[in-house]
Structures are given as C-alpha cells and as structure tokens.
Amino acid sequence: MYKSTRPTILSALRMVTRLFGRRLDTPITAAERLIKGALFDCQMCGNCVLSKTGMTCPMNCPKSIRNGPCGGVRSNGMCEVKPNMRCVWVDAWHGAANMQDGETIKDIEFAVDHNRVGQSSWLRLARDE
Ligand code: SF4
C-alpha cells in the first residue's frame, strides 16, 4: 500500500509546493501530524524513516533508538524501559518483514537531527531536500 500510494502523494505535494511555494507549509505539516499520528503514532521527528521500519515509528522507543533494538529487549518481546509496552523495534522488524524493500531496515540511520523536530518530512521529500 505504501509503495503504491507514495508516488501519488509525492506528485501532489510537488505540484502544491510549486504552485504555492511555502504558503501552505503550516496546514500541510498539520495534516501530516494528524494523519501519521493517527495511523502510526508518529512523533514528527522531521526525519521520517517509517518506510524503513515496517511503518513503526522508532521515536516511540523510550531510548529514541534509530537502529534498534537495544540490548535490553525482554524475552517476551516487551521493552526494557517500559515492561508493559511491546518493544518498538520488535514490531519494526516484524513490519519490515511484511514490506517490499523490507531489507532497508538494515540501513544505518543517523541520530535524529533535533533542529528538524516538528517539521514536515513530506515537504522535505517533495522538495528533494
Ligand atoms: S527494548 Fe526496544 S523499545 Fe525498549 S528501549 Fe530497547 S529498543 Fe527501545
């Protein structure tokens, strides 16, 4: 689903940003926050890697690990820090196994650039930034 909808969403965003410049950045960012928040519990890190992490937002990991899991995952798949929460990275690896290009979860990611927190990843992609 991700692979089939991505080109359409990107084309639409490219057209909108070409037509309106940065005038619609605020509502587009708000829409991204709303949609991805509802679907993926997105934390708007501004460095979206959902497509590489089985559509699981790694920013929900209490250690904010971008290349997980950490060494503390419990044997029942629950989080070391929050025992009542499933390890984000266990879910990420399961999700990635169900996706085309799921192997991209093995790509090494940089730590989050905190200057981008709250910014739209969609707009950055649309502008090839
Ligand atoms: S167990 Fe998983 S969710 Fe918990 S801190 Fe480690 S990597 Fe993050």
Side-chain angles (χ1 to χ4, degrees):
M1 213 172 127
Y2 170 77
K3 236 185 157 174
S4 57
T5 53
R6 185 178 190 271
T8 311
I9 293 171
L10 264 185
S11 302
L13 281 169
R14 284 198 176 112
M15 196 175 69
V16 167
T17 52
R18 230 174 273 134
L19 286 174
F20 296 97
R22 295 188 179 268
R23 287 194 297 273
L24 294 182
D25 282 15
T26 302
I28 289 171
T29 304
E32 180 175 343
R33 184 187 303 277
L34 194 76
I35 294 168
K36 283 167 57 181
L39 292 177
F40 309 112
D41 207 6
C42 164
Q43 302 298 313
M44 290 297 280
C45 69
N47 303 260
C48 190
V49 288
L50 275 173
S51 63
K52 294 180 172 183
T53 54
M55 309 312 280
T56 302
C57 176
M59 300 318 293
N60 290 299
C61 164
K63 296 181 187 173
S64 302
I65 288 179
R66 302 279 283 186
N67 297 287
C70 72
V73 188
R74 294 167 192 267
S75 55
N76 61 358
M78 304 304 264
C79 173
E80 175 183 32
V81 180
K82 295 182 177 176
N84 295 325
M85 184 183 103
R86 247 179 94 72
C87 169
V88 169
W89 281 97
V90 169
D91 284 344
W93 278 84
H94 282 309
N98 290 324
M99 287 180 74
Q100 289 175 5
D101 302 331
E103 288 288 303
T104 54
I105 196 171
K106 293 177 183 168
D107 294 351
I108 302 297
E109 297 298 327
F110 288 105
V112 169
D113 178 352
H114 288 275
N115 289 319
R116 292 182 175 174
V117 171
Q119 294 179 6
S120 168
S121 298
W122 287 353
L123 287 168
R124 189 174 354 276
L125 277 174
R127 293 182 176 127
D128 295 318
E129 289 172 353

